Amino acid sequence: MRVAAILVAAGSGSRFGGSMPKQFALIAGKPVIRWAAEALAPHATLIQPVGEADLIEPALAGLAHLACVPGGATRQESVYNGLEALEAFAPDVVLVHDAARPCVPPLTVPELLAALEDFEGAIPAVPVADTLKRGEAGIIAGTVPRQNLYRAQTPQAFSYETMLALHRRGPAPEATDDAWLLEQAGLPVGLIAGSEENIKLTYQEDFSRLERALVTLSPRVGTGFDVHALEPGRKLMLCGIEVPHETGLAGHSDADVGIHALCDAIYGALGEGDIGRHFPPSEATWKDADSARFLRHAAERIAARGGMLANADVTLICERPKITPHAQAMIARLADLLGVEQSRISVKATTTERLGFTGRQEGIAAQAAVCVLVP
Ligand code: CTP
Ligand code: MG
Protein backbone atom coordinates (compact mmCIF):
# COMPACT_ATOMS: atom_id res chain seq x y z
CA MET A 1 0.00 0.00 0.00
CA ARG A 2 1.38 3.35 -1.07
CA VAL A 3 0.82 5.95 1.65
CA ALA A 4 1.38 9.65 0.96
CA ALA A 5 1.19 12.37 3.60
CA ILE A 6 0.23 15.99 2.91
CA LEU A 7 1.73 18.35 5.46
CA VAL A 8 -0.17 21.64 5.33
CA ALA A 9 2.04 24.53 6.41
CA ALA A 10 0.72 27.54 4.51
CA GLY A 11 -1.17 29.23 7.36
CA SER A 12 -0.06 32.52 8.87
CA GLY A 13 -0.73 31.54 12.49
CA SER A 14 -2.67 34.73 13.25
CA ARG A 15 -3.96 33.48 16.63
CA PHE A 16 -0.44 32.51 17.71
CA GLY A 17 1.25 35.73 16.55
CA GLY A 18 5.00 36.23 16.32
CA SER A 19 7.29 37.19 13.47
CA MET A 20 7.23 33.77 11.84
CA PRO A 21 4.26 31.39 11.28
CA LYS A 22 3.90 29.11 14.30
CA GLN A 23 4.76 25.90 12.40
CA PHE A 24 8.37 27.13 12.17
CA ALA A 25 8.75 27.93 15.89
CA LEU A 26 11.49 25.88 17.58
CA ILE A 27 10.78 23.28 20.25
CA ALA A 28 14.02 21.95 21.76
CA GLY A 29 15.87 23.43 18.78
CA LYS A 30 13.67 21.72 16.17
CA PRO A 31 10.97 23.45 14.07
CA VAL A 32 7.40 22.34 14.85
CA ILE A 33 6.88 21.23 11.22
CA ARG A 34 9.95 18.97 11.47
CA TRP A 35 8.58 17.25 14.58
CA ALA A 36 5.37 16.67 12.58
CA ALA A 37 7.20 15.36 9.50
CA GLU A 38 9.39 13.03 11.59
CA ALA A 39 6.29 11.59 13.26
CA LEU A 40 4.75 10.76 9.85
CA ALA A 41 7.95 9.63 8.10
CA PRO A 42 7.95 6.01 9.43
CA HIS A 43 4.43 5.49 8.05
CA ALA A 44 4.43 7.35 4.72
CA THR A 45 6.47 6.67 1.58
CA LEU A 46 5.86 10.19 0.29
CA ILE A 47 5.68 13.46 2.22
CA GLN A 48 4.18 16.41 0.38
CA PRO A 49 4.73 19.74 2.15
CA VAL A 50 2.42 22.62 1.24
CA GLY A 51 3.53 26.21 1.83
CA GLU A 52 6.46 28.53 1.26
CA ALA A 53 9.52 26.57 0.11
CA ASP A 54 11.91 29.20 1.52
CA LEU A 55 10.64 28.49 5.02
CA ILE A 56 9.89 24.77 4.70
CA GLU A 57 13.07 23.56 2.99
CA PRO A 58 15.50 24.61 5.77
CA ALA A 59 13.13 23.21 8.40
CA LEU A 60 12.96 19.81 6.68
CA ALA A 61 16.60 19.65 5.53
CA GLY A 62 17.85 16.07 5.36
CA LEU A 63 14.35 14.52 5.62
CA ALA A 64 13.04 12.78 2.48
CA HIS A 65 10.14 14.77 1.03
CA LEU A 66 8.66 15.95 -2.26
CA ALA A 67 9.21 19.48 -3.57
CA CYS A 68 6.99 22.02 -1.76
CA VAL A 69 3.82 23.20 -3.48
CA PRO A 70 2.34 26.63 -2.69
CA GLY A 71 -0.54 26.94 -0.26
CA GLY A 72 -3.96 28.43 -0.87
CA ALA A 73 -6.05 31.09 0.80
CA THR A 74 -7.86 28.51 2.94
CA ARG A 75 -6.68 25.29 4.55
CA GLN A 76 -8.89 23.33 2.19
CA GLU A 77 -7.24 24.95 -0.84
CA SER A 78 -3.82 24.11 0.58
CA VAL A 79 -4.87 20.46 0.96
CA TYR A 80 -6.21 20.51 -2.60
CA ASN A 81 -2.88 21.75 -3.98
CA GLY A 82 -1.14 18.90 -2.22
CA LEU A 83 -3.62 16.33 -3.57
CA GLU A 84 -3.13 17.50 -7.16
CA ALA A 85 0.67 17.40 -6.78
CA LEU A 86 0.47 13.78 -5.62
CA GLU A 87 -1.53 12.56 -8.63
CA ALA A 88 1.58 11.55 -10.58
CA PHE A 89 2.58 9.20 -7.74
CA ALA A 90 -0.85 7.48 -7.60
CA PRO A 91 -0.89 6.80 -3.85
CA ASP A 92 -3.51 4.43 -2.41
CA VAL A 93 -3.89 6.35 0.83
CA VAL A 94 -3.42 9.99 1.69
CA LEU A 95 -2.82 11.25 5.21
CA VAL A 96 -3.64 14.93 5.69
CA HIS A 97 -1.81 16.50 8.60
CA ASP A 98 -1.40 19.98 10.11
CA ALA A 99 2.25 21.02 10.28
CA ALA A 100 1.22 22.78 13.50
CA ARG A 101 0.56 19.40 15.20
CA PRO A 102 4.03 18.13 16.13
CA CYS A 103 3.16 15.45 18.68
CA VAL A 104 1.52 12.55 16.83
CA PRO A 105 1.50 9.38 18.95
CA PRO A 106 3.28 6.46 17.23
CA LEU A 107 0.14 4.26 17.07
CA THR A 108 -2.15 6.86 15.48
CA VAL A 109 -1.25 6.22 11.83
CA PRO A 110 -1.20 2.39 12.10
CA GLU A 111 -4.67 2.52 13.73
CA LEU A 112 -5.96 4.88 11.01
CA LEU A 113 -4.64 2.59 8.28
CA ALA A 114 -6.30 -0.40 9.93
CA ALA A 115 -9.60 1.54 10.00
CA LEU A 116 -9.31 2.19 6.25
CA GLU A 117 -9.95 -1.52 5.70
CA ASP A 118 -13.57 -0.77 6.66
CA PHE A 119 -14.01 2.90 5.68
CA GLU A 120 -12.82 5.31 3.00
CA GLY A 121 -11.80 7.76 5.67
CA ALA A 122 -10.76 7.63 9.34
CA ILE A 123 -9.78 10.30 11.86
CA PRO A 124 -8.36 10.43 15.40
CA ALA A 125 -10.78 12.08 17.81
CA VAL A 126 -11.07 12.67 21.54
CA PRO A 127 -14.44 12.42 23.32
CA VAL A 128 -15.49 15.75 24.83
CA ALA A 129 -15.12 15.47 28.61
CA ASP A 130 -16.18 18.95 29.75
CA THR A 131 -19.75 20.15 29.98
CA LEU A 132 -20.45 22.23 26.89
CA LYS A 133 -22.13 25.63 27.15
CA ARG A 134 -23.26 27.92 24.41
CA GLY A 135 -22.52 31.49 25.42
CA GLU A 136 -23.82 34.78 24.11
CA ALA A 137 -22.36 38.13 25.24
CA GLY A 138 -20.84 36.55 28.33
CA ILE A 139 -24.03 34.76 29.42
CA ILE A 140 -24.93 31.10 29.13
CA ALA A 141 -27.43 30.62 26.35
CA GLY A 142 -27.76 26.90 26.79
CA THR A 143 -26.11 23.58 27.54
CA VAL A 144 -25.13 21.39 24.62
CA PRO A 145 -25.40 17.66 25.40
CA ARG A 146 -21.86 16.35 25.08
CA GLN A 147 -22.94 12.77 24.47
CA ASN A 148 -21.38 11.49 21.23
CA LEU A 149 -19.35 14.68 20.75
CA TYR A 150 -15.69 14.43 19.75
CA ARG A 151 -12.83 16.80 19.05
CA ALA A 152 -11.32 15.98 15.62
CA GLN A 153 -7.54 15.87 15.18
CA THR A 154 -5.09 15.17 12.38
CA PRO A 155 -3.55 13.19 10.70
CA GLN A 156 -6.74 12.13 8.94
CA ALA A 157 -6.52 9.19 6.53
CA PHE A 158 -8.43 8.70 3.29
CA SER A 159 -8.56 6.73 0.11
CA TYR A 160 -6.56 9.02 -2.15
CA GLU A 161 -8.86 8.64 -5.13
CA THR A 162 -11.99 9.44 -3.13
CA MET A 163 -10.45 12.48 -1.47
CA LEU A 164 -9.13 13.89 -4.75
CA ALA A 165 -12.49 13.40 -6.45
CA LEU A 166 -14.35 15.18 -3.62
CA HIS A 167 -11.91 18.10 -3.64
CA ARG A 168 -12.26 18.46 -7.40
CA ARG A 169 -15.97 19.14 -6.96
CA GLY A 170 -14.97 22.65 -5.88
CA PRO A 171 -14.17 24.66 -2.78
CA ALA A 172 -16.07 24.09 0.45
CA PRO A 173 -15.25 27.16 2.55
CA GLU A 174 -17.20 25.81 5.52
CA ALA A 175 -14.96 22.71 5.82
CA THR A 176 -12.51 23.00 8.72
CA ASP A 177 -11.20 19.48 8.22
CA ASP A 178 -11.06 16.92 5.43
CA ALA A 179 -13.43 14.32 6.85
CA TRP A 180 -16.19 16.92 6.31
CA LEU A 181 -16.10 16.29 2.54
CA LEU A 182 -16.77 12.56 3.03
CA GLU A 183 -19.52 13.30 5.53
CA GLN A 184 -21.24 15.60 3.04
CA ALA A 185 -20.96 12.90 0.38
CA GLY A 186 -22.68 10.45 2.75
CA LEU A 187 -19.59 8.28 3.16
CA PRO A 188 -18.96 6.83 6.64
CA VAL A 189 -15.76 7.98 8.33
CA GLY A 190 -14.22 5.84 11.08
CA LEU A 191 -13.23 7.24 14.47
CA ILE A 192 -10.10 6.01 16.22
CA ALA A 193 -8.85 7.11 19.63
CA GLY A 194 -7.13 10.50 19.52
CA SER A 195 -4.71 11.69 22.17
CA GLU A 196 -4.68 14.70 24.52
CA GLU A 197 -0.99 15.04 23.62
CA ASN A 198 -1.70 15.51 19.92
CA ILE A 199 -2.03 19.25 20.51
CA LYS A 200 -2.39 21.74 17.65
CA LEU A 201 -0.22 24.79 18.23
CA THR A 202 -2.84 27.52 18.03
CA TYR A 203 -2.27 29.97 20.91
CA GLN A 204 0.92 30.99 22.73
CA GLU A 205 -0.14 28.97 25.77
CA ASP A 206 -0.07 25.75 23.71
CA PHE A 207 3.66 26.13 23.28
CA SER A 208 4.73 25.13 26.80
CA ARG A 209 2.21 22.25 26.83
CA LEU A 210 3.82 20.96 23.65
CA GLU A 211 7.30 21.38 25.06
CA ARG A 212 6.31 19.25 28.02
CA ALA A 213 4.73 16.60 25.78
CA LEU A 214 7.65 16.42 23.34
CA VAL A 215 10.76 16.97 25.34
CA THR A 216 11.86 14.59 28.04
CA LEU A 217 14.62 16.28 29.98
CA SER A 218 17.24 14.10 31.65
CA PRO A 219 19.34 15.30 34.57
CA ARG A 220 23.12 15.48 34.13
CA VAL A 221 25.41 16.28 37.04
CA GLY A 222 28.77 18.04 36.79
CA THR A 223 31.42 19.06 39.30
CA GLY A 224 34.20 21.64 39.12
CA PHE A 225 37.20 22.51 41.28
CA ASP A 226 39.66 25.40 41.05
CA VAL A 227 42.46 27.03 43.05
CA HIS A 228 44.17 30.40 42.70
CA ALA A 229 46.96 31.92 44.79
CA LEU A 230 46.44 35.08 46.82
CA GLU A 231 48.86 37.94 46.25
CA PRO A 232 49.04 41.62 47.20
CA GLY A 233 48.13 44.26 44.67
CA ARG A 234 45.26 42.37 42.98
CA LYS A 235 41.56 42.93 43.50
CA LEU A 236 39.66 39.96 44.88
CA MET A 237 36.90 38.79 42.52
CA LEU A 238 34.71 35.99 43.89
CA CYS A 239 31.54 34.67 42.23
CA GLY A 240 31.27 37.75 40.04
CA ILE A 241 31.62 40.45 42.69
CA GLU A 242 34.57 42.37 44.09
CA VAL A 243 35.18 41.53 47.75
CA PRO A 244 37.21 44.06 49.81
CA HIS A 245 40.38 42.30 51.03
CA GLU A 246 44.08 43.07 51.45
CA THR A 247 45.08 40.51 48.79
CA GLY A 248 43.54 39.31 45.54
CA LEU A 249 43.66 36.17 43.45
CA ALA A 250 46.46 35.78 40.90
CA GLY A 251 45.84 34.30 37.49
CA HIS A 252 45.68 34.83 33.79
CA SER A 253 42.09 36.12 33.85
CA ASP A 254 40.57 37.97 36.82
CA ALA A 255 41.09 34.60 38.63
CA ASP A 256 37.51 34.37 39.93
CA VAL A 257 37.91 30.93 41.41
CA GLY A 258 34.17 30.53 42.15
CA ILE A 259 33.10 31.24 38.60
CA HIS A 260 35.84 29.01 37.21
CA ALA A 261 34.71 26.04 39.32
CA LEU A 262 31.10 26.73 38.31
CA CYS A 263 31.94 26.90 34.60
CA ASP A 264 33.83 23.61 34.82
CA ALA A 265 30.86 22.00 36.57
CA ILE A 266 28.57 23.12 33.73
CA TYR A 267 30.95 22.03 30.97
CA GLY A 268 31.37 18.74 32.82
CA ALA A 269 27.61 18.17 33.07
CA LEU A 270 27.30 18.77 29.33
CA GLY A 271 30.33 16.59 28.56
CA GLU A 272 31.97 19.55 26.84
CA GLY A 273 35.45 19.58 28.35
CA ASP A 274 36.55 22.37 30.66
CA ILE A 275 37.11 26.11 30.80
CA GLY A 276 40.65 25.79 29.38
CA ARG A 277 39.28 24.15 26.24
CA HIS A 278 36.87 27.00 25.55
CA PHE A 279 39.16 29.83 26.70
CA PRO A 280 42.81 28.67 26.39
CA PRO A 281 45.12 30.46 28.91
CA SER A 282 47.71 30.62 26.11
CA GLU A 283 45.54 33.20 24.31
CA ALA A 284 46.35 36.78 25.25
CA THR A 285 42.65 37.75 24.78
CA TRP A 286 41.75 36.17 28.12
CA LYS A 287 44.46 38.02 30.10
CA ASP A 288 42.74 39.76 33.05
CA ALA A 289 39.43 38.86 31.39
CA ASP A 290 36.22 39.36 33.35
CA SER A 291 35.21 35.79 34.25
CA ALA A 292 31.56 36.82 33.87
CA ARG A 293 32.15 36.26 30.19
CA PHE A 294 33.10 32.61 30.78
CA LEU A 295 29.96 31.97 32.80
CA ARG A 296 27.75 33.59 30.15
CA HIS A 297 29.35 31.25 27.62
CA ALA A 298 28.62 28.21 29.81
CA ALA A 299 24.98 29.37 30.06
CA GLU A 300 24.85 29.71 26.27
CA ARG A 301 26.08 26.14 25.92
CA ILE A 302 23.20 24.91 28.11
CA ALA A 303 20.75 26.86 25.94
CA ALA A 304 22.36 25.59 22.72
CA ARG A 305 21.72 22.04 23.91
CA GLY A 306 18.04 22.89 24.53
CA GLY A 307 18.60 22.40 28.27
CA MET A 308 18.17 24.30 31.52
CA LEU A 309 20.08 24.66 34.76
CA ALA A 310 18.20 22.92 37.57
CA ASN A 311 20.55 24.15 40.32
CA ALA A 312 24.14 25.08 41.09
CA ASP A 313 25.94 24.86 44.43
CA VAL A 314 29.28 26.64 44.91
CA THR A 315 31.51 26.21 47.96
CA LEU A 316 34.35 28.67 48.52
CA ILE A 317 37.17 27.29 50.68
CA CYS A 318 39.14 29.99 52.51
CA GLU A 319 40.10 31.18 55.97
CA ARG A 320 39.46 34.84 55.12
CA PRO A 321 37.69 36.96 53.94
CA LYS A 322 34.37 35.98 55.53
CA ILE A 323 32.03 35.01 52.68
CA THR A 324 28.63 34.97 54.41
CA PRO A 325 28.14 38.78 54.32
CA HIS A 326 28.66 38.66 50.53
CA ALA A 327 26.89 35.38 49.74
CA GLN A 328 23.55 36.96 48.76
CA ALA A 329 25.19 39.42 46.36
CA MET A 330 27.16 36.55 44.82
CA ILE A 331 23.99 34.50 44.36
CA ALA A 332 22.26 37.46 42.70
CA ARG A 333 25.19 38.04 40.35
CA LEU A 334 25.57 34.37 39.36
CA ALA A 335 21.81 34.02 38.80
CA ASP A 336 21.89 37.11 36.61
CA LEU A 337 24.81 35.84 34.52
CA LEU A 338 23.16 32.43 34.11
CA GLY A 339 19.71 33.87 33.41
CA VAL A 340 17.98 31.81 36.12
CA GLU A 341 16.04 32.56 39.31
CA GLN A 342 18.17 33.09 42.41
CA SER A 343 16.50 30.12 44.12
CA ARG A 344 18.44 27.83 41.78
CA ILE A 345 21.82 29.07 43.04
CA SER A 346 23.63 28.45 46.29
CA VAL A 347 26.93 29.99 47.45
CA LYS A 348 28.43 28.90 50.76
CA ALA A 349 31.88 28.75 52.31
CA THR A 350 34.01 26.69 54.62
CA THR A 351 37.48 26.95 56.17
CA THR A 352 40.02 24.13 56.39
CA GLU A 353 40.64 24.75 60.09
CA ARG A 354 43.85 26.66 59.31
CA LEU A 355 45.27 23.56 57.65
CA GLY A 356 46.95 23.50 54.23
CA PHE A 357 47.38 26.34 51.75
CA THR A 358 43.88 27.73 52.28
CA GLY A 359 44.47 27.58 56.04
CA ARG A 360 47.71 29.54 55.63
CA GLN A 361 45.82 32.03 53.41
CA GLU A 362 48.15 31.39 50.49
CA GLY A 363 45.21 30.80 48.17
CA ILE A 364 41.48 30.20 47.79
CA ALA A 365 39.87 27.02 46.47
CA ALA A 366 36.34 26.58 45.14
CA GLN A 367 34.24 23.61 44.25
CA ALA A 368 30.92 23.54 42.44
CA ALA A 369 28.24 21.00 41.62
CA VAL A 370 25.46 21.54 39.10
CA CYS A 371 22.47 19.67 37.78
CA VAL A 372 21.59 20.46 34.19
CA LEU A 373 18.43 19.17 32.50
CA VAL A 374 18.95 18.34 28.83
CA PRO A 375 16.79 16.68 26.17
N1 CTP B 1 -3.00 26.04 6.75
C1 CTP B 1 -2.62 26.02 5.42
N2 CTP B 1 -3.17 26.92 4.56
C2 CTP B 1 -4.03 27.85 4.97
C3 CTP B 1 -4.44 27.89 6.32
C4 CTP B 1 -3.90 26.95 7.20
O1 CTP B 1 -1.80 25.20 5.04
N3 CTP B 1 -4.51 28.72 4.09
C5 CTP B 1 -2.41 25.07 7.68
C6 CTP B 1 -1.67 25.72 8.83
O2 CTP B 1 -0.33 26.04 8.44
C7 CTP B 1 -1.73 24.66 9.93
C8 CTP B 1 -3.03 23.91 9.62
O3 CTP B 1 -3.42 24.30 8.29
O4 CTP B 1 -0.65 23.74 9.85
C9 CTP B 1 -4.12 24.18 10.64
O5 CTP B 1 -4.56 25.53 10.54
P1 CTP B 1 -4.57 26.58 11.74
O6 CTP B 1 -4.22 25.91 13.00
O7 CTP B 1 -5.83 27.37 11.65
O8 CTP B 1 -3.30 27.50 11.35
P2 CTP B 1 -3.28 29.00 10.84
O9 CTP B 1 -4.36 29.24 9.87
O10 CTP B 1 -1.88 29.26 10.39
O11 CTP B 1 -3.55 29.81 12.18
P3 CTP B 1 -4.66 30.94 12.44
O12 CTP B 1 -5.98 30.33 12.08
O13 CTP B 1 -4.52 31.26 13.90
O14 CTP B 1 -4.28 32.10 11.55
MG1 MG C 1 -6.48 28.97 10.42
Side-chain angles (χ1 to χ4, degrees):
M1 191 168 53
R2 215 169 159 78
V3 180
I6 295 176
L7 199 54
V8 282
S12 62
S14 55
R15 286 169 289 178
F16 184 75
S19 54
M20 201 174 274
K22 61 191 181 182
Q23 56 273 30
F24 303 105
L26 301 181
I27 295 183
K30 209 193 279 185
V32 167
I33 183 175
R34 190 179 183 96
W35 284 100
E38 286 179 353
L40 297 184
H43 312 287
T45 29
L46 300 163
I47 292 189
Q48 175 61 70
V50 180
E52 256 183 76
D54 288 354
L55 294 172
I56 295 173
E57 285 300 339
L60 297 187
L63 274 183
H65 63 276
L66 300 170
C68 300
V69 294
T74 62
R75 184 183 178 283
Q76 203 219 359
E77 271 180 51
S78 296
V79 174
Y80 177 61
N81 292 353
L83 286 167
E84 287 289 356
L86 283 171
E87 198 182 16
F89 301 96
D92 303 299
V93 168
V94 63
L95 303 169
V96 181
H97 186 52
D98 297 330
R101 238 181 242 277
C103 194
V104 182
L107 288 181
T108 299
V109 177
E111 286 178 14
L112 288 169
L113 297 180
L116 287 191
E117 287 170 17
D118 301 320
F119 307 105
E120 288 190 60
I123 72 163
V126 179
V128 171
D130 298 319
T131 296
L132 286 181
K133 301 289 185 194
R134 196 173 25 249
E136 278 161 28
I139 296 172
I140 292 178
T143 298
V144 182
R146 67 167 179 240
Q147 210 192 352
N148 299 333
L149 286 187
Y150 289 84
R151 289 184 285 129
Q153 302 179 327
T154 76
Q156 302 190 344
F158 307 98
S159 140
Y160 173 75
E161 250 179 61
T162 305
M163 193 36 96
L164 180 64
L166 291 175
H167 267 265
R168 280 184 175 164
R169 289 184 185 176
E174 60 274 61
T176 52
D177 75 347
D178 305 285
W180 190 91
L181 295 174
L182 273 80
E183 295 163 42
Q184 294 305 304
L187 295 169
V189 180
L191 288 171
I192 67 136
S195 160
E196 290 294 350
E197 290 201 345
N198 189 0
I199 300 159
K200 179 160 72 72
L201 183 58
T202 305
Y203 300 101
Q204 280 289 332
E205 72 216 40
D206 300 324
F207 196 80
S208 47
R209 285 170 63 216
L210 272 172
E211 259 181 337
R212 283 197 296 278
L214 282 169
V215 186
T216 325
L217 295 174
S218 310
R220 293 181 63 121
V221 168
T223 68
F225 179 77
D226 194 29
V227 171
H228 281 274
L230 284 164
E231 66 177 33
R234 298 259 306 180
K235 62 179 182 177
L236 178 60
M237 292 299 295
L238 284 176
C239 292
I241 66 166
E242 188 176 342
V243 178
H245 196 54
E246 63 270 15
T247 53
L249 290 172
H252 188 66
S253 66
D254 67 6
D256 187 328
V257 72
I259 284 190
H260 294 184
L262 183 51
C263 287
D264 269 357
I266 293 172
Y267 295 132
L270 296 174
E272 296 192 9
D274 59 19
I275 199 167
R277 183 172 118 193
H278 297 282
F279 303 96
S282 53
E283 283 178 20
T285 336
W286 313 123
K287 179 148 172 45
D288 294 324
D290 181 353
S291 293
R293 180 157 179 192
F294 306 154
L295 192 56
R296 278 200 204 95
H297 176 265
E300 280 162 23
R301 290 308 311 152
I302 297 174
R305 294 276 291 271
M308 61 177 284
L309 181 76
N311 74 303
D313 183 19
V314 180
T315 305
L316 298 170
I317 306 165
C318 59
E319 209 62 42
R320 288 182 57 244
K322 283 271 161 264
I323 299 303
T324 315
H326 306 288
Q328 189 47 50
M330 292 174 177
I331 288 170
R333 176 73 174 143
L334 294 178
D336 184 44
L337 291 171
L338 289 164
V340 299
E341 313 93 274
Q342 294 184 20
S343 61
R344 295 187 184 277
I345 310 290
S346 147
V347 174
K348 58 198 196 306
T350 185
T351 71
T352 48
E353 300 291 338
R354 306 210 180 129
L355 296 170
F357 69 88
T358 53
R360 293 189 295 273
Q361 300 186 43
E362 293 164 10
I364 296 181
Q367 65 182 34
V370 301
C371 176
V372 173
L373 301 174
V374 286

